[in-house]
Amino acid sequence: MRVLGVESSCDETGIALYDSERGLLGHALHSQVAMHEAYGGVVPELASRDHVRRALPLLEQVLRQSDVSLDSIDAIGYTEGPGLAGALLVGAAVACGLGMALDKPVLGIHHLEGHLLSPLLSAAPPKFPFVALLVSGGHTQLMRVDGVGQYTLLGETVDDAAGEAFDKSAKLLGLGYPGGPAISRLAEFGDPGVYTLPRPMLHSGDLNFSFSGLKTAVLTLVKNRITNICEQDRANVARAFVDAIVAVLVAKSVTAMKQTGLQRLVIAGGVGANRQLREALDAAGAKRRFKVYYPELEFCTDNGAMIAFAAAMRLQRHPDAARREYGFTVRPRWPLDELR
Ligand code: KG4
Ligand code: ZN
């Protein structure tokens, strides 16, 4: 089965072709980061307009890379939600328009299911069941995954997502957007223990997270030194922030592994690219005898490959999941555990 995937939920346009026998045939991505940087965050209307400009050139690029014709595809998967409504509508319109023109069936995919299944695209994929730590710009969740469409929510953030905490704290430290990679790089120069930031809900006894207080604690530190924050001090604050957030993510993941008794932990979403988090999770896994799986770095952040792949997995399980009805809606809010 050969599936075209279209991702446009936020500030990346991603197109990919996945073949269930041959694997990923081609994929192309355009990141809008440079465009949104000037505004310090994603401007939804600009994002939508840019998806319109990028989608078809990226599709042409993927077809050239993979050397297959559009006629040979069996279905088109697109991100139906969650995400920015306008941005989602562009990808849905492109996918459904193509479907109609080519007489191919289409299906809407949950963006987080794409992230969740993305480690299965790697050379040594995890087997079901596993626990997944989903850490993206909009979501922080621990899920139990028993198979495609079998997702049980174990815990989630009650306020900011982990990626959001990275981005907001980076902004407070005068770093650009997106802040995750920048604050993580700066933290490498920081001395540990100069500042200690709170580890929110570390001992709450459940698997929920809260990160908005952490951002406020960074604000307080920065504000107190606003006239005189030297480069080393900024690195020390960055280090304290990264240490705190990584400690919470690791502790909750370890508790989830204990509670479920499972042996595989999968990390997905943009924050999964974080080096400090990966090191700490690997160390925890080695100590507690569970194995940690990551998507390839290029598939940690948003991309079309995970959408094409999730669509193919879904179609293998439910061959009638795709439709030849080309009207569409999108779901800016869509809880993952509503999926079947
Ligand atoms: O999954 P993703 O690409 O988009 C969403 O679905 O939200 O995640 C984007 C988030 C941003 O908040 C970004 O700052 C964060 O992932 N991120 C990182 C790193 N790379 C991306 N956070 C920490 N360290 C990184 N290396
Ligand atoms: Zn994402």
Side-chain angles (χ1 to χ4, degrees):
M1 179 188 307
R2 191 171 282 174
V3 181
L4 181 73
V6 180
E7 155 64 28
S8 71
S9 65
C10 188
D11 58 348
E12 260 109 21
T13 324
I15 306 279
L17 252 177
Y18 178 80
D19 184 302
S20 45
E21 247 117 69
R22 291 169 53 199
L24 197 59
L25 301 180
H27 63 103
L29 186 78
H30 175 76
S31 166
Q32 304 175 352
V33 160
M35 182 179 76
H36 296 296
E37 215 170 7
Y39 306 94
V42 177
V43 183
E45 181 59 23
L46 292 182
S48 312
R49 289 173 191 223
D50 202 60
H51 288 306
V52 173
R53 279 192 290 271
R54 306 290 174 180
L56 293 183
L58 287 173
L59 172 63
E60 280 160 9
Q61 200 177 319
V62 168
L63 291 175
R64 277 196 302 274
Q65 261 176 30
S66 49
D67 202 23
V68 299
S69 74
L70 267 182
D71 268 351
S72 73
I73 65 170
D74 298 301
I76 304 172
Y78 61 92
T79 306
E80 186 176 336
L84 300 170
L88 289 166
L89 281 169
V90 176
V94 167
C96 295
L98 274 173
M100 193 173 187
L102 299 166
D103 193 22
K104 303 286 182 188
V106 294
L107 76 163
I109 292 295
H110 195 297
H111 179 79
L112 295 182
E113 179 171 56
H115 275 305
L116 207 67
L117 299 179
S118 63
L120 302 180
L121 273 167
S122 56
K127 291 197 171 68
F128 297 117
F130 54 75
V131 170
L133 173 67
L134 250 174
V135 270
S136 71
H139 294 84
T140 301
Q141 298 181 329
L142 276 160
M143 311 277 311
R144 180 189 166 110
V145 180
D146 286 288
V148 178
Q150 294 171 264
Y151 311 126
T152 313
L153 183 67
L154 303 173
E156 64 183 335
T157 182
V158 298
D159 42 52
D160 290 354
E164 204 176 344
F166 267 97
D167 293 338
K168 287 178 175 169
S169 300
K171 202 169 183 175
L172 292 170
L173 287 169
L175 302 168
Y177 170 85
I183 197 169
S184 159
R185 272 194 303 275
L186 182 61
E188 312 228 337
F189 300 100
D191 295 323
V194 176
Y195 301 111
T196 306
L197 290 173
R199 276 123 170 93
M201 292 180 78
L202 189 61
H203 303 296
S204 61
D206 57 20
L207 295 173
N208 291 332
F209 305 85
S210 162
F211 294 117
S212 74
L214 187 52
K215 163 201 70 194
T216 311
V218 171
L219 175 66
T220 310
L221 266 187
V222 174
K223 227 162 126 190
N224 288 343
R225 286 165 184 75
I226 199 91
T227 48
N228 188 20
I229 183 161
C230 67
E231 202 44 40
Q232 184 59 48
D233 222 17
R234 272 160 34 106
N236 294 341
V237 176
R239 175 67 190 252
F241 168 79
V242 171
D243 285 350
I245 198 161
V246 166
V248 174
L249 291 171
V250 172
K252 297 277 175 171
S253 303
V254 167
T255 308
M257 298 312 287
K258 271 196 222 150
Q259 278 185 12
T260 57
L262 297 181
Q263 270 107 45
R264 288 175 288 270
L265 174 67
V266 160
I267 315 301
V271 180
N274 185 268
R275 199 185 60 71
Q276 290 96 333
L277 177 64
R278 286 181 172 224
E279 279 178 13
L281 284 169
D282 287 341
K287 192 167 157 201
R288 315 245 171 199
R289 298 182 183 283
F290 60 82
K291 190 160 164 43
V292 191
Y293 295 83
Y294 306 94
E296 301 289 334
L297 262 184
E298 61 180 333
F299 301 138
C300 266
T301 44
D302 292 349
N303 64 85
M306 67 184 195
I307 300 304
F309 180 69
M313 296 282 281
R314 223 153 233 286
L315 285 171
Q316 266 167 7
R317 218 173 105 93
H318 308 286
D320 53 358
R323 63 183 202 272
R324 282 177 194 272
E325 282 281 306
Y326 299 105
F328 55 85
T329 51
V330 292
R331 302 200 212 184
R333 292 184 182 279
W334 186 6
L336 181 60
D337 54 359
E338 275 182 12
L339 277 189
R340 288 292 167 264

